[in-house]
Amino acid sequence: MSEYDPVDPPVALTVAGSDSGGGAGVQADLAAMRAHGVFGASVVTATTAQNTRGVEDVNPLPADHVASQYAAVADDFDVAAVKTGMLATAEVVETVTELVADFDAPLVVDPVMVAATGDRLLSPAAEDAYEDLVAAATLVTPNADEAAVLTGDPVETSADAEAAGRELVALGADAALVKGGHLSEGAVGEDVVVDTLVRAAGAGGGETAESGGPTVDRFETPRIDTDATHGSGCALSSAIAARLARGESVRGAVDVAVEEMTEAVRRGYDVGEGPGAVNPTVLGEE
């Protein structure tokens, strides 16, 4: 009989919607976590009928079932990090906020609010419910449109991104990563994506601001000439959560994960008749 030789990886939990097309949501989250050597558990908040051409139907799950899934995972696993994605309804946002209130480990909040088309995905009540969840976050990772929803101010330039990050930290988040893919003007030109990380004083590793206030870091990566970026936000936030589960600092996890995303986009999946998806399996490659 062969010897039993199991591995004991860190566990990360994704709380997000399911993408029937496989490119985003829970499917992308688990792939990104696995690529980093982390065991991924999941709480599904909604099912979707979608493919590379678009979303045809969304079915939010009852908040009490979301809570039951979370309880089942938390009762059995030593969860080292949680990330949230699409939460679908105000009731689910509020339920998840209550569930993670006593969670003593990193929490990454990817506030999935605005589709790539610019369409709002949540009701105003659900958007408002995010305030308490953002305040509980170790890191919140909005794109420019989502940062605008959360702060109430337009986010069109790198300077706007920094201002939004500072406001999100002022709301209570330990750190905010405002992604630059949708910005109309970057710090160094159209061929570069600039992601802006704002960290509260003393939070998230790395150097701190001499003023004692928030620290601002900018990460510049090449812009890949493609519209096949489906799942990029999910994969990035999950990669960061996986690295936090492994004990890395926020600053260090963001630095590496942002760099990795360039390859995930460059080596994306050309599947379906619409734009393809990013490739989370290349994340974590050393």
Side-chain angles (χ1 to χ4, degrees):
M1 181 179 295
S2 298
E3 180 182 359
Y4 179 54
D5 188 22
V7 295
D8 183 22
V11 176
L13 171 64
T14 170
V15 183
S18 171
D19 175 1
S20 61
V26 167
Q27 287 82 353
D29 295 341
L30 295 177
M33 290 173 180
R34 190 177 303 114
H36 284 88
V38 172
F39 184 88
S42 63
V43 170
V44 178
T45 59
T47 59
T48 66
Q50 64 177 297
N51 52 34
T52 60
R53 296 191 299 268
V55 180
E56 299 177 6
D57 189 28
V58 178
N59 179 35
L61 296 181
D64 58 354
H65 183 57
V66 171
S68 295
Q69 293 178 73
Y70 183 93
V73 173
D75 184 57
D76 191 38
F77 297 93
D78 182 14
V79 178
V82 170
K83 73 135 292 188
T84 67
M86 185 180 77
L87 300 183
T89 67
E91 187 177 8
V92 170
V93 176
E94 292 165 354
T95 297
V96 170
T97 302
E98 293 174 3
L99 291 170
V100 300
D102 297 324
F103 181 63
D104 188 23
L107 169 66
V108 178
V109 174
D110 183 16
V112 180
M113 295 178 163
V114 183
T117 59
D119 295 329
R120 301 279 273 265
L121 300 175
L122 299 178
S123 67
E127 292 175 351
D128 292 343
Y130 257 96
E131 184 171 337
D132 289 337
L133 186 58
V134 167
T138 304
L139 175 69
V140 57
T141 63
N143 61 31
D145 293 330
E146 291 156 351
V149 172
L150 289 169
T151 64
D153 296 317
V155 179
E156 299 176 350
T157 68
S158 297
D160 294 339
E162 178 180 335
R166 288 179 179 274
E167 185 168 346
L168 292 170
V169 167
L171 288 173
D174 291 343
L177 176 67
V178 182
K179 296 172 288 190
H182 294 174
L183 296 182
S184 59
E185 174 267 323
V188 291
E190 295 181 356
D191 294 334
V192 174
V193 174
V194 181
D195 298 313
T196 303
L197 175 65
V198 179
R199 292 178 288 124
E207 297 181 359
T208 57
E210 293 182 3
S211 65
T215 301
V216 179
D217 297 289
R218 291 185 175 86
F219 304 92
E220 300 177 4
T221 52
R223 186 180 296 275
I224 307 302
D225 184 18
T226 179
D227 58 357
T229 57
H230 184 55
S232 57
C234 304
L236 176 62
S237 57
S238 296
I240 295 169
R243 288 186 169 275
L244 295 178
R246 288 167 26 177
E248 298 182 20
S249 69
V250 169
R251 172 64 171 76
V254 169
D255 189 3
V256 177
V258 166
E259 188 71 27
E260 290 177 331
M261 281 306 301
T262 301
E263 278 304 294
V265 174
R266 189 194 310 276
R267 295 161 60 184
Y269 291 117
D270 182 15
V271 293
E273 297 181 6
V278 300
N279 182 356
T281 67
V282 306
L283 299 171
E285 291 185 351
E286 301 294 341

